[in-house]
Amino acid sequence: MKNFNDVISGVDDVISSAKNGSFEEVLAKTKSYAEKATRKSAERLEISRKKIELLDSKTKLSKAYEKFGRLEYAKRQGEEVNEDEYKSAFAQIDLQKTRAEMIDKEIEELRRLFSEASAKEEKEPEAEVETEVVEPTE
């Protein structure tokens, strides 16, 4: 629940700034939180896309195993099996296994990069906004 607590803490900061009457500070913090939320959403979307690619590859791998198994079964039953179809199924298994492994590594790399960026962001102090309070004249 760290992210939820960060959001609540951020909202508390914005509210306390608003109570102190610094509109520019409220605006700057609101913009900062909106940018962070947008960036995190984009990161999650990219990982989700990769997960869909991985699922697609695993589905194709499963179908290739099934096809290979049917061909192997037919061969063992003494039926005539097209050797090109047999080799094609075997190649498809290798291709989809390699693709799934590659996508899995990409997902892990994205998670690592996003985690590092998030950790770096947490270490950076927020930019201070200089404001001047002007009292209305009567």
Side-chain angles (χ1 to χ4, degrees):
M1 289 293 272
K2 179 183 175 199
N3 292 334
F4 180 72
N5 291 335
D6 289 345
V7 170
I8 297 300
S9 173
V11 170
D12 288 342
D13 290 345
V14 170
I15 290 172
S16 69
S17 295
K19 288 179 183 176
N20 294 333
S22 175
F23 179 73
E24 288 82 12
E25 188 175 340
V26 171
L27 188 60
K29 284 188 177 186
T30 302
K31 182 179 177 183
S32 172
Y33 291 125
E35 288 170 353
K36 286 179 188 178
T38 301
R39 187 173 50 255
K40 287 191 182 284
S41 294
E43 291 170 357
R44 300 293 186 258
L45 181 61
E46 183 63 27
I47 289 174
S48 294
R49 285 183 184 149
K50 289 294 180 184
K51 284 182 176 181
I52 290 170
E53 276 185 60
L54 181 60
L55 181 62
D56 178 59
S57 182
K58 286 183 177 183
T59 300
K60 288 178 180 176
L61 178 61
S62 179
K63 288 180 181 180
Y65 274 130
E66 182 180 336
K67 183 177 181 179
F68 184 80
R70 288 176 191 235
L71 292 169
E72 183 64 27
Y73 181 79
K75 187 176 181 180
R76 295 207 181 238
Q77 290 294 319
E79 296 177 24
E80 181 93 17
V81 176
N82 182 338
E83 198 61 33
D84 289 338
E85 199 174 344
Y86 193 78
K87 289 178 183 178
S88 173
F90 191 81
Q92 188 68 15
I93 290 170
D94 283 343
L95 174 72
Q96 293 305 326
K97 281 180 73 172
T98 303
R99 183 171 177 241
E101 290 169 0
M102 181 186 73
I103 294 169
D104 202 31
K105 287 178 183 176
E106 288 176 5
I107 291 170
E108 290 305 313
E109 181 66 11
L110 285 171
R111 285 183 176 152
R112 185 187 64 76
L113 290 173
F114 295 153
S115 177
E116 286 176 2
S118 181
K120 182 181 177 187
E121 183 179 284
E122 288 176 7
K123 289 181 182 178
E124 291 178 0
E126 288 189 30
E128 293 294 321
V129 177
E130 290 186 31
T131 59
E132 180 179 333
V133 177
V134 178
E135 297 294 327
T137 57
E138 293 183 51

